[in-house]
């Protein structure tokens, strides 16, 4: 019989390792820069025979979940807030919590690839970037990496985020192309709770308008229409991108507007942990029902068992 198991490590001025917990909730969300973890412990837990909680803000936190001796790193980050009421609740943010507060030099960044720019500014070794991204000249008026990340999202719809892979945190930029299907779920056999909706037809239309202005104020523009009219106009502005670079950007962004056969959520047992932007396959009555990017995964562990509630993103074409 498989026995639920966990390991929680806190590292600050002192180190603590716990193999028990009341509840854990972890949210991995593609719509958020930071992933979150809430750890709930009994209020009477003792720390070296003392009841006063010794944990401090910004202490390092690592959470492993699994069965028996087979544990997988589910969260890595830092303590943000501690509430000691009827139970002890510890709220944590992942590695982005500290990275976004790192100082950087404001100014213009020209004649540098996007990958080189991100590596230089963040100083991260474990970094992964969509090789198709081009942003042209970039001016940053903020003084922290958080401002840089916010401006990437506002100006170019490029999100910075961390994923956990093979027990390590990896900083990523943009939705990475992935051909590996992490898991396949049979709706009739593997899904505990089915919150899926089958979409009958495309209900929306988008006009994707990509514009780049050169230093001499020459305008380069590419446009693409997706779905059915009326079209909602989306404008993406750049500096000093060529026609080919603009077309690459259009092709990269267009994938996020494609039609999905299914939308909604599925709840499955814990096991192989699913990360945001992972690919999962769906089956129903033995028939394939598409491959989807994961938009969000809420992992719960504790008295009510070990579950993953997965929100489907776009269907991979």
């Amino acid at each position: 019989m498989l026995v639920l198991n966990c390991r929680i490590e806190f590292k600050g001025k002192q180190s603590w390792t716990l193999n028990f917990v009341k509840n854990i909730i972890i949210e991995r969300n593609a719509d958020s820069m930071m992933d979150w973890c809430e750890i709930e412990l009994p209020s009477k837990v003792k720390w070296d025979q003392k009841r006063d909680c010794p944990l401090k803000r910004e202490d390092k936190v690592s959470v492993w979940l699994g069965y028996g001796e087979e544990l997988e790193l589910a969260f890595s980050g830092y303590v943000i807030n501690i509430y000691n009421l009827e139970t002890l609740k510890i709220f944590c943010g992942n590695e982005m919590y500290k990275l976004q507060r790192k100082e950087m030099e404001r100014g213009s960044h020209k004649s540098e690839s996007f990958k080189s720019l991100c590596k230089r500014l963040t100083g991260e070794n474990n970094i992964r970037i969509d090789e198709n991204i081009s942003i042209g000249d970039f001016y940053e008026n903020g003084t922290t990496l958080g401002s840089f990340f916010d401006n990437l999202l506002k100006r170019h719809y490029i999100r910075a985020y961390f994923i956990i892979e093979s027990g390590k945190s990896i900083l990523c930029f943009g939705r990475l192309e992935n051909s590996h299907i992490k898991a396949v779920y049979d709706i009739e056999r593997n899904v505990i709770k089915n919150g899926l909706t089958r979409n009958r037809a495309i209900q929306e239309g988008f006009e994707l308008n990509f514009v780049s202005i050169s230093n001499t104020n020459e305008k380069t523009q590419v446009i693409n229409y997706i779905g059915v009219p009326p079209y909602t106009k989306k404008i993406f502005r750049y500096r000093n991108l060529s026609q080919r670079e603009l077309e690459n950007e259009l092709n990269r962004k267009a994938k996020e507007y494609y039609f999905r056969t299914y939308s909604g959520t599925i709840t499955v047992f814990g096991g192989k942990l699913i990360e945001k932007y992972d690919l999962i396959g769906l089956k129903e009555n033995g028939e394939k029902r598409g491959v989807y990017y994961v938009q969000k995964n809420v992992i719960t562990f504790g008295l009510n068992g070990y579950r993953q509630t997965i929100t489907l993103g776009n269907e991979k074409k």
Side-chain angles (χ1 to χ4, degrees):
M1 179 179 177
L2 296 176
V3 179
L4 289 179
N5 194 9
C6 69
R7 185 170 81 249
I8 306 169
E9 291 184 357
F10 298 100
K11 293 183 179 179
K13 290 184 177 180
Q14 293 178 277
S15 296
W16 309 89
T17 300
L18 304 178
N19 297 104
F20 61 89
V21 71
K22 189 171 184 181
N23 286 301
I24 294 174
I25 302 174
I26 298 170
E27 182 178 293
R28 299 172 168 182
N29 192 345
D31 290 326
S32 174
M33 189 187 303
M34 191 187 307
D35 291 347
W36 302 90
C37 177
E38 177 186 314
I39 302 169
E40 184 178 6
L41 298 170
S43 60
K44 296 182 179 180
V45 62
K46 291 185 178 182
W47 312 81
D48 280 350
Q49 303 305 313
K50 298 178 182 179
R51 287 191 176 179
D52 292 339
C53 178
L55 302 178
K56 304 295 183 184
R57 189 181 180 94
E58 296 192 6
D59 281 355
K60 188 74 175 72
V61 183
S62 300
V63 178
W64 286 265
L65 303 175
Y67 299 92
E69 299 301 318
E70 298 294 324
L71 300 181
E72 182 178 351
L73 182 64
F75 181 84
S76 176
Y78 300 90
V79 173
I80 297 179
N81 286 310
I82 302 170
Y83 299 96
N84 198 348
L85 301 172
E86 293 181 1
T87 58
L88 178 63
K89 289 188 177 182
I90 305 161
F91 291 90
C92 312
N94 73 346
E95 305 288 351
M96 185 60 76
Y97 172 68
K98 267 199 170 182
L99 183 63
Q100 67 183 354
R101 295 157 66 192
K102 182 178 177 181
E103 292 185 356
M104 61 167 284
E105 183 179 351
R106 69 170 65 186
S108 182
H109 304 276
K110 298 180 179 180
S111 304
E112 185 174 10
S113 71
F114 181 67
K115 186 173 185 178
S116 173
L117 174 66
C118 292
K119 283 189 172 183
R120 179 172 60 82
L121 293 180
T122 64
E124 287 286 316
N125 293 322
N126 290 323
I127 191 168
R128 196 171 295 167
I129 296 174
D130 182 345
E131 299 289 347
N132 295 317
I133 292 178
S134 299
I135 63 171
D137 295 345
F138 190 89
Y139 182 83
E140 177 54 57
N141 55 7
T143 59
T144 65
L145 283 176
S147 175
F148 171 60
F149 297 153
D150 285 341
N151 284 328
L152 277 179
L153 184 60
K154 291 175 183 177
R155 299 176 196 172
H156 303 293
Y157 300 87
I158 298 171
R159 189 179 298 279
Y161 58 94
F162 276 92
I163 62 171
I164 293 178
E165 186 175 281
S166 302
K168 296 180 180 179
S169 291
I170 301 173
L171 177 62
C172 302
F173 290 86
R175 190 181 75 177
L176 304 173
E177 285 301 311
N178 192 353
S179 59
H180 172 68
I181 299 175
K182 187 76 168 285
V184 177
Y185 298 107
D186 190 311
I187 295 173
E188 303 297 323
R189 296 181 179 181
N190 308 128
V191 174
I192 303 168
K193 184 177 180 180
N194 183 355
L196 296 176
T197 300
R198 185 173 176 83
N199 302 317
R200 296 182 179 276
I202 298 177
Q203 300 295 328
E204 294 181 281
F206 298 94
E207 176 190 328
L208 304 185
N209 197 323
F210 286 69
V211 180
S212 179
I213 305 297
S214 71
N215 290 334
T216 57
N217 288 325
E218 293 182 2
K219 181 179 177 180
T220 304
Q221 183 176 25
V222 292
I223 299 175
N224 192 20
Y225 295 91
I226 294 176
V228 295
Y231 296 105
T232 301
K233 195 171 186 178
K234 301 282 185 178
I235 302 177
F236 304 82
R237 294 183 173 88
Y238 302 85
R239 293 285 298 181
N240 294 323
L241 286 191
S242 67
Q243 177 86 14
R244 183 174 180 179
E245 288 173 326
L246 269 186
E247 290 173 353
N248 287 338
E249 278 294 284
L250 185 150
N251 292 333
R252 183 178 67 85
K253 289 300 298 180
K255 296 175 183 178
E256 300 181 14
Y257 293 87
Y258 287 148
F259 171 66
R260 292 176 285 179
T261 304
Y262 280 102
S263 59
T265 65
I266 56 171
T267 300
V268 299
F269 286 110
K272 183 182 293 185
L273 291 177
I274 302 301
E275 185 60 86
K276 53 186 175 291
Y277 293 127
D278 274 349
L279 285 176
I280 63 168
L282 290 182
K283 294 175 66 177
E284 187 175 23
N285 298 321
E287 296 185 9
K288 295 180 181 179
R289 298 300 186 191
V291 176
Y292 298 82
Y293 289 97
V294 172
Q295 192 69 17
K296 181 170 72 171
N297 185 17
V298 177
I299 303 162
T300 56
F301 181 98
L303 300 177
N304 294 320
Y306 185 16
R307 304 284 189 271
Q308 300 183 82
T309 299
I310 299 167
T311 302
L312 300 186
N314 294 312
E315 188 172 358
K316 183 175 176 62
K317 298 295 183 179

mmCIF file of all heavy atoms in Angstrom, residues 266-287:
data_model
loop_
_atom_site.group_PDB
_atom_site.id
_atom_site.type_symbol
_atom_site.label_atom_id
_atom_site.label_comp_id
_atom_site.label_asym_id
_atom_site.label_seq_id
_atom_site.Cartn_x
_atom_site.Cartn_y
_atom_site.Cartn_z
ATOM 1 N N ILE A 266 -9.355 19.497 -14.499
ATOM 2 C CA ILE A 266 -9.474 18.105 -14.073
ATOM 3 C C ILE A 266 -8.735 17.961 -12.742
ATOM 4 O O ILE A 266 -7.718 18.619 -12.514
ATOM 5 C CB ILE A 266 -8.897 17.104 -15.096
ATOM 6 C CG1 ILE A 266 -7.430 17.423 -15.413
ATOM 7 C CG2 ILE A 266 -9.727 17.086 -16.364
ATOM 8 C CD1 ILE A 266 -6.734 16.357 -16.251
ATOM 9 N N THR A 267 -9.261 17.121 -11.864
ATOM 10 C CA THR A 267 -8.593 16.812 -10.600
ATOM 11 C C THR A 267 -8.138 15.358 -10.640
ATOM 12 O O THR A 267 -8.942 14.457 -10.912
ATOM 13 C CB THR A 267 -9.526 17.039 -9.398
ATOM 14 O OG1 THR A 267 -9.935 18.410 -9.374
ATOM 15 C CG2 THR A 267 -8.815 16.718 -8.087
ATOM 16 N N VAL A 268 -6.840 15.152 -10.394
ATOM 17 C CA VAL A 268 -6.248 13.819 -10.450
ATOM 18 C C VAL A 268 -5.472 13.578 -9.163
ATOM 19 O O VAL A 268 -5.211 14.498 -8.388
ATOM 20 C CB VAL A 268 -5.317 13.660 -11.680
ATOM 21 C CG1 VAL A 268 -6.094 13.859 -12.970
ATOM 22 C CG2 VAL A 268 -4.153 14.634 -11.606
ATOM 23 N N PHE A 269 -5.083 12.331 -8.943
ATOM 24 C CA PHE A 269 -4.275 12.008 -7.773
ATOM 25 C C PHE A 269 -2.884 12.607 -7.907
ATOM 26 O O PHE A 269 -2.392 12.861 -9.007
ATOM 27 C CB PHE A 269 -4.161 10.493 -7.599
ATOM 28 C CG PHE A 269 -5.418 9.840 -7.092
ATOM 29 C CD1 PHE A 269 -6.169 9.025 -7.920
ATOM 30 C CD2 PHE A 269 -5.847 10.057 -5.791
ATOM 31 C CE1 PHE A 269 -7.338 8.428 -7.463
ATOM 32 C CE2 PHE A 269 -7.012 9.460 -5.314
ATOM 33 C CZ PHE A 269 -7.757 8.645 -6.156
ATOM 34 N N GLY A 270 -2.235 12.817 -6.765
ATOM 35 C CA GLY A 270 -0.832 13.225 -6.783
ATOM 36 C C GLY A 270 0.015 12.112 -7.370
ATOM 37 O O GLY A 270 -0.427 10.978 -7.530
ATOM 38 N N GLY A 271 1.230 12.418 -7.687
ATOM 39 C CA GLY A 271 2.120 11.446 -8.319
ATOM 40 C C GLY A 271 3.150 12.230 -9.081
ATOM 41 O O GLY A 271 3.895 13.020 -8.503
ATOM 42 N N LYS A 272 3.171 12.047 -10.380
ATOM 43 C CA LYS A 272 4.057 12.858 -11.210
ATOM 44 C C LYS A 272 3.523 14.289 -11.219
ATOM 45 O O LYS A 272 2.448 14.568 -11.740
ATOM 46 C CB LYS A 272 4.104 12.302 -12.633
ATOM 47 C CG LYS A 272 5.065 13.046 -13.555
ATOM 48 C CD LYS A 272 5.011 12.476 -14.955
ATOM 49 C CE LYS A 272 5.547 11.048 -15.016
ATOM 50 N NZ LYS A 272 5.596 10.540 -16.410
ATOM 51 N N LEU A 273 4.296 15.215 -10.620
ATOM 52 C CA LEU A 273 3.812 16.585 -10.477
ATOM 53 C C LEU A 273 3.854 17.320 -11.821
ATOM 54 O O LEU A 273 4.839 17.251 -12.546
ATOM 55 C CB LEU A 273 4.639 17.342 -9.440
ATOM 56 C CG LEU A 273 4.456 16.880 -7.985
ATOM 57 C CD1 LEU A 273 5.374 17.653 -7.058
ATOM 58 C CD2 LEU A 273 3.004 17.039 -7.553
ATOM 59 N N ILE A 274 2.765 18.035 -12.107
ATOM 60 C CA ILE A 274 2.618 18.752 -13.366
ATOM 61 C C ILE A 274 2.988 20.222 -13.154
ATOM 62 O O ILE A 274 2.544 20.843 -12.192
ATOM 63 C CB ILE A 274 1.176 18.630 -13.893
ATOM 64 C CG1 ILE A 274 0.805 17.143 -14.083
ATOM 65 C CG2 ILE A 274 1.009 19.395 -15.189
ATOM 66 C CD1 ILE A 274 1.692 16.390 -15.049
ATOM 67 N N GLU A 275 3.796 20.735 -14.059
ATOM 68 C CA GLU A 275 4.241 22.128 -13.994
ATOM 69 C C GLU A 275 3.441 22.958 -14.989
ATOM 70 O O GLU A 275 2.921 22.427 -15.980
ATOM 71 C CB GLU A 275 5.733 22.195 -14.307
ATOM 72 C CG GLU A 275 6.393 23.545 -14.168
ATOM 73 C CD GLU A 275 6.308 24.116 -12.772
ATOM 74 O OE1 GLU A 275 7.166 23.800 -11.924
ATOM 75 O OE2 GLU A 275 5.362 24.916 -12.554
ATOM 76 N N LYS A 276 3.318 24.256 -14.731
ATOM 77 C CA LYS A 276 2.668 25.135 -15.704
ATOM 78 C C LYS A 276 3.427 25.061 -17.022
ATOM 79 O O LYS A 276 4.644 24.930 -17.055
ATOM 80 C CB LYS A 276 2.631 26.572 -15.182
ATOM 81 C CG LYS A 276 3.958 27.138 -14.751
ATOM 82 C CD LYS A 276 3.777 28.506 -14.128
ATOM 83 C CE LYS A 276 5.089 29.037 -13.588
ATOM 84 N NZ LYS A 276 5.565 28.298 -12.408
ATOM 85 N N TYR A 277 2.680 25.116 -18.121
ATOM 86 C CA TYR A 277 3.191 25.010 -19.493
ATOM 87 C C TYR A 277 3.625 23.586 -19.861
ATOM 88 O O TYR A 277 4.080 23.367 -20.984
ATOM 89 C CB TYR A 277 4.342 25.985 -19.755
ATOM 90 C CG TYR A 277 3.949 27.432 -19.722
ATOM 91 C CD1 TYR A 277 4.616 28.346 -18.915
ATOM 92 C CD2 TYR A 277 2.898 27.907 -20.510
ATOM 93 C CE1 TYR A 277 4.254 29.681 -18.887
ATOM 94 C CE2 TYR A 277 2.529 29.241 -20.481
ATOM 95 C CZ TYR A 277 3.212 30.121 -19.670
ATOM 96 O OH TYR A 277 2.846 31.449 -19.647
ATOM 97 N N ASP A 278 3.525 22.624 -18.941
ATOM 98 C CA ASP A 278 3.729 21.226 -19.339
ATOM 99 C C ASP A 278 2.650 20.835 -20.347
ATOM 100 O O ASP A 278 1.574 21.443 -20.402
ATOM 101 C CB ASP A 278 3.622 20.297 -18.120
ATOM 102 C CG ASP A 278 4.936 20.153 -17.377
ATOM 103 O OD1 ASP A 278 5.968 20.592 -17.908
ATOM 104 O OD2 ASP A 278 4.930 19.587 -16.265
ATOM 105 N N LEU A 279 2.938 19.808 -21.125
ATOM 106 C CA LEU A 279 1.940 19.246 -22.033
ATOM 107 C C LEU A 279 1.309 18.016 -21.392
ATOM 108 O O LEU A 279 2.016 17.143 -20.876
ATOM 109 C CB LEU A 279 2.589 18.845 -23.356
ATOM 110 C CG LEU A 279 2.956 19.965 -24.325
ATOM 111 C CD1 LEU A 279 3.677 19.384 -25.531
ATOM 112 C CD2 LEU A 279 1.726 20.738 -24.779
ATOM 113 N N ILE A 280 -0.025 17.949 -21.424
ATOM 114 C CA ILE A 280 -0.724 16.751 -20.966
ATOM 115 C C ILE A 280 -1.689 16.309 -22.066
ATOM 116 O O ILE A 280 -2.219 17.130 -22.816
ATOM 117 C CB ILE A 280 -1.490 16.968 -19.649
ATOM 118 C CG1 ILE A 280 -2.590 18.014 -19.814
ATOM 119 C CG2 ILE A 280 -0.533 17.365 -18.523
ATOM 120 C CD1 ILE A 280 -3.556 18.071 -18.642
ATOM 121 N N GLY A 281 -1.901 15.003 -22.154
ATOM 122 C CA GLY A 281 -2.847 14.457 -23.121
ATOM 123 C C GLY A 281 -4.135 14.034 -22.439
ATOM 124 O O GLY A 281 -4.133 13.655 -21.263
ATOM 125 N N LEU A 282 -5.252 14.112 -23.165
ATOM 126 C CA LEU A 282 -6.542 13.654 -22.662
ATOM 127 C C LEU A 282 -7.075 12.531 -23.535
ATOM 128 O O LEU A 282 -6.913 12.560 -24.757
ATOM 129 C CB LEU A 282 -7.561 14.806 -22.641
ATOM 130 C CG LEU A 282 -7.360 15.927 -21.630
ATOM 131 C CD1 LEU A 282 -8.499 16.931 -21.735
ATOM 132 C CD2 LEU A 282 -7.249 15.395 -20.211
ATOM 133 N N LYS A 283 -7.690 11.552 -22.877
ATOM 134 C CA LYS A 283 -8.360 10.461 -23.568
ATOM 135 C C LYS A 283 -9.756 10.304 -22.988
ATOM 136 O O LYS A 283 -9.988 10.599 -21.814
ATOM 137 C CB LYS A 283 -7.576 9.150 -23.407
ATOM 138 C CG LYS A 283 -6.219 9.143 -24.087
ATOM 139 C CD LYS A 283 -5.450 7.869 -23.773
ATOM 140 C CE LYS A 283 -6.117 6.648 -24.362
ATOM 141 N NZ LYS A 283 -5.333 5.424 -24.109
ATOM 142 N N GLU A 284 -10.675 9.826 -23.822
ATOM 143 C CA GLU A 284 -12.036 9.566 -23.367
ATOM 144 C C GLU A 284 -12.567 8.353 -24.113
ATOM 145 O O GLU A 284 -12.551 8.314 -25.340
ATOM 146 C CB GLU A 284 -12.927 10.787 -23.617
ATOM 147 C CG GLU A 284 -14.312 10.655 -23.017
ATOM 148 C CD GLU A 284 -15.119 11.924 -23.186
ATOM 149 O OE1 GLU A 284 -14.815 12.715 -24.106
ATOM 150 O OE2 GLU A 284 -16.060 12.138 -22.394
ATOM 151 N N ASN A 285 -12.975 7.353 -23.345
ATOM 152 C CA ASN A 285 -13.451 6.095 -23.934
ATOM 153 C C ASN A 285 -12.419 5.500 -24.901
ATOM 154 O O ASN A 285 -12.763 4.961 -25.955
ATOM 155 C CB ASN A 285 -14.781 6.312 -24.658
ATOM 156 C CG ASN A 285 -15.883 6.772 -23.719
ATOM 157 O OD1 ASN A 285 -15.959 6.298 -22.578
ATOM 158 N ND2 ASN A 285 -16.714 7.689 -24.177
ATOM 159 N N GLY A 286 -11.139 5.635 -24.536
ATOM 160 C CA GLY A 286 -10.070 5.075 -25.343
ATOM 161 C C GLY A 286 -9.648 5.930 -26.523
ATOM 162 O O GLY A 286 -8.683 5.598 -27.215
ATOM 163 N N GLU A 287 -10.353 7.046 -26.780
ATOM 164 C CA GLU A 287 -10.036 7.907 -27.922
ATOM 165 C C GLU A 287 -9.272 9.149 -27.462
ATOM 166 O O GLU A 287 -9.561 9.720 -26.407
ATOM 167 C CB GLU A 287 -11.316 8.326 -28.641
ATOM 168 C CG GLU A 287 -12.071 7.170 -29.274
ATOM 169 C CD GLU A 287 -13.272 7.646 -30.070
ATOM 170 O OE1 GLU A 287 -13.404 8.883 -30.253
ATOM 171 O OE2 GLU A 287 -14.062 6.803 -30.516
#
